[in-house]
Amino acid sequence: MALLKIVSGENPREIAARVLGRRENGRFIEDLLEAAMADSAMSQADRRLCQELVYGVVRWQATLDWLIARKTQDRPQKQGLQNLLRLGLYQIFWLERIPDHAVVHQAVELARRSGFGPQSGFINAVLRGYLREADSTRNTLERLKTEQPWLGYSHPEWLASRWQSRWGQTPAAALMTWNNTPPRTFARVNTLKADPGKLIEQWRDENVEYDFIRRAWFDDNVVFELKAFPPLHRLDSFRQGFFYVQDPGTLLAVRELAPAPGESILDLCAAPGGKLTYIAQLMRNEGALVAHDTAVDRVRLIAENCERLGVTCVRMLSSGPAGLAAPPVAASPAGGDLPKQFDKILVDAPCSNTGVMRRRIDLRWRVRPAELERLRRGQLALLQEAAGLLKPVGSLVYSTCSLEPEENEAVVKQFLETHGDFSLESQRELTPFADGVDGAYVARLLRRP
């Protein structure tokens, strides 16, 4: 069912309730929210509040539902009513800037406008009951983080348990805290169009506040954190392609690939193009760089990013897993025949995304243990395909944004068991609690005769 159009005058809570009520259709919450606010006349402040409410309720869903169950004797509620209670409790216990009496009043009014008028007294009673017990409830919520971490940090129990078993209670708690924190925005300088000094000078004119970011796997003045900024699409520096929004952790795979001008390189799962365009940057647009993905619309997204960033050495393909001989969907100025084999290949494999969970708001409620085995089989197949496209002497980098060993070390180990001409040169896992970036795994494999 299509989203209802949002008319001028609706407030952030109405839109938030409507978006939360449409989660069952399978679309990601970010897409639902973007569509809902597209035609809204809300101010920027109201848009930010609406996003905070939607994302906050989804992140803290397990804890909010636990609070609701305590006051309702575990009786199931209609989905719309459950969302109204979630919104009210999230504002009481997770947002400090909204007065408690206003939260209750707005929740009751929203219930009446949403078709839950007969239940408005029930909503009022639940919320006011928690206001009377606010201090003791906050203490209970803190204890939950130790006694039942999956509830205290609002994660699936199986995922919280496996992280605790692997790293211990404190690192697992730090990871779940990270996942519940809104992500920061980072920008990689695109040196094909601008040097860091030129970009910084333009940012100052555009009222962009920034900070320097340093990590061992990229040079200084390559990545900046954007602390405060106007909408990116309004910035000339963005439209002109002076930078690309990208988490610092994603640069590790490209550094391990070590691209150089004049080489032939394949990015096997290239969309949306962050790693690909960084490869082109380090190649200085010199060489043959092939971007492959299985969906035509995703390849078009790569093409759009390449055009904005001034990447001209890329040929773009869309085909099935073994169809690299298919004709290009969009030919770049690089032109020429496609290489039959490559000096280097990057396999940034589709994965469970557990390392980027704070950016994928409802991912934690979608991922299932059984998916790890299904994904592992696909990841191994991609590595095997890449091996057939690599030159007799070459390097193959395998990366994921997963934190799960089944998708990382286990895949590389199984691949090496059947490919004796490859050796493991290096592997590294980035974790939010140890490295302060999104989670990632990167392995560099070398082929020698």
Side-chain angles (χ1 to χ4, degrees):
M1 181 183 297
L3 282 174
L4 296 177
K5 294 293 185 182
I6 307 301
V7 298
S8 177
E10 287 184 325
N11 65 50
R13 293 163 187 82
E14 288 178 303
I15 297 178
R18 183 173 295 137
V19 171
L20 291 168
R22 298 190 181 278
R23 290 175 62 197
E24 70 277 0
N25 68 5
R27 293 176 64 186
F28 287 102
I29 197 69
E30 298 94 330
D31 297 334
L32 290 170
L33 181 60
E34 181 181 357
M37 293 198 299
D39 298 326
S40 171
M42 288 190 300
S43 66
Q44 286 300 318
D46 279 348
R47 286 174 178 270
R48 287 192 294 270
L49 175 58
C50 185
Q51 178 175 292
E52 169 70 34
L53 292 173
V54 171
Y55 289 179
V57 164
V58 174
R59 285 190 179 106
W60 290 99
Q61 175 181 309
T63 316
L64 291 165
D65 288 351
W66 180 81
L67 288 172
I68 294 168
R70 293 175 78 217
K71 292 295 185 184
T72 60
Q73 291 74 52
D74 288 319
R75 291 192 305 272
Q77 309 298 320
K78 291 183 178 180
Q79 191 60 49
L81 186 59
Q82 187 83 354
N83 283 330
L84 293 177
L85 290 169
R86 289 169 175 169
L87 281 166
L89 290 170
Y90 179 73
Q91 292 174 86
I92 290 172
F93 291 109
W94 279 270
L95 291 185
E96 298 179 353
R97 62 182 181 272
I98 303 174
D100 291 337
H101 68 276
V103 171
V104 176
H105 173 75
Q106 291 162 353
V108 170
E109 288 301 309
L110 181 55
R112 291 169 178 161
R113 292 197 298 271
S114 303
F116 290 100
Q119 290 80 30
S120 59
F122 166 70
I123 291 176
N124 181 74
V126 171
L127 298 183
R128 290 197 179 278
Y130 268 117
L131 286 180
R132 290 190 294 270
E133 305 166 8
D135 290 340
S136 63
T137 301
R138 289 189 176 94
N139 291 335
T140 300
L141 291 175
E142 281 302 309
R143 288 197 305 273
L144 271 183
K145 293 178 178 179
T146 301
E147 297 170 359
Q148 295 177 280
W150 59 93
L151 284 177
Y153 293 102
S154 190
H155 279 65
E157 183 175 359
W158 72 271
L159 201 52
S161 297
R162 76 165 6 226
W163 287 345
Q164 280 190 307
S165 298
R166 183 179 176 196
W167 292 304
Q169 184 170 338
T170 299
L175 175 56
M176 290 186 285
T177 299
W178 172 278
N179 291 341
N180 287 330
T181 305
R184 295 179 290 170
T185 301
F186 298 95
R188 167 179 56 84
V189 180
N190 176 28
T191 55
L192 295 175
K193 284 196 167 185
D195 59 54
K198 179 179 180 180
L199 178 60
I200 288 173
E201 182 179 355
Q202 185 154 338
W203 275 346
R204 289 170 178 163
D205 293 337
E206 295 173 331
N207 296 317
V208 174
E209 298 179 17
Y210 61 90
D211 201 357
F212 297 89
I213 298 296
R214 292 179 173 86
R215 293 293 187 275
W217 57 90
F218 53 81
D219 295 335
D220 290 348
N221 300 324
V222 169
V223 179
F224 297 84
E225 181 183 356
L226 303 185
K227 308 285 286 188
F229 50 91
L232 291 177
H233 68 275
R234 297 181 186 174
L235 298 178
D236 286 339
S237 57
F238 178 80
R239 292 195 297 264
Q240 293 167 355
F242 288 179
F243 68 93
Y244 185 89
V245 175
Q246 190 168 15
D247 187 83
T250 63
L251 275 62
L252 176 61
V254 178
R255 278 299 181 178
E256 287 298 301
L257 189 69
E263 292 181 325
S264 59
I265 298 177
L266 169 65
D267 187 347
L268 190 57
C269 307
K275 296 180 179 70
L276 176 82
T277 54
Y278 187 41
I279 293 171
Q281 178 173 318
L282 295 181
M283 293 174 69
R284 300 199 296 271
N285 258 340
E286 300 171 12
L289 177 54
V290 174
H292 174 265
D293 212 278
T294 57
V296 172
D297 57 340
R298 289 172 62 82
V299 172
R300 292 195 177 109
L301 179 59
I302 297 171
E304 291 171 4
N305 281 321
C306 286
E307 181 178 3
R308 183 175 66 84
L309 297 172
V311 172
T312 58
C313 64
V314 168
R315 295 290 301 279
M316 286 160 281
L317 294 176
S318 173
S319 63
L324 285 177
V329 170
S332 76
D337 295 332
L338 291 173
K340 301 300 183 184
Q341 290 186 309
F342 296 86
D343 297 309
K344 296 173 180 177
I345 298 177
L346 172 62
V347 179
D348 187 37
C351 66
S352 65
N353 296 298
T354 54
V356 293
M357 197 165 278
R358 74 170 178 170
R359 296 185 186 275
R360 308 288 178 87
I361 307 303
D362 53 0
L363 172 67
R364 70 188 70 180
W365 310 123
R366 292 172 176 262
V367 67
R368 298 289 186 270
E371 288 184 65
L372 300 183
E373 173 59 22
R374 177 185 63 80
L375 288 164
R376 185 197 63 78
R377 292 194 299 269
Q379 291 151 354
L380 181 60
L382 284 171
L383 266 182
Q384 291 168 338
E385 179 186 356
L389 297 165
L390 192 66
K391 289 181 178 180
V393 176
S395 59
L396 172 59
V397 170
Y398 173 75
S399 69
T400 75
C401 55
S402 170
L403 296 174
E404 313 316 314
E406 295 93 325
E407 301 178 80
N408 297 335
E409 299 95 328
V411 171
V412 171
K413 181 176 183 293
Q414 186 172 357
F415 172 80
L416 292 174
E417 288 172 352
T418 56
H419 292 77
D421 53 339
F422 281 85
S423 61
L424 177 61
E425 179 75 6
S426 65
Q427 63 179 335
R428 179 172 181 178
E429 181 181 62
L430 300 177
T431 61
F433 55 82
D435 301 288
V437 298
D438 285 345
Y441 171 82
V442 178
R444 183 168 183 254
L445 308 172
L446 297 184
R447 167 182 266 172
R448 294 188 180 93

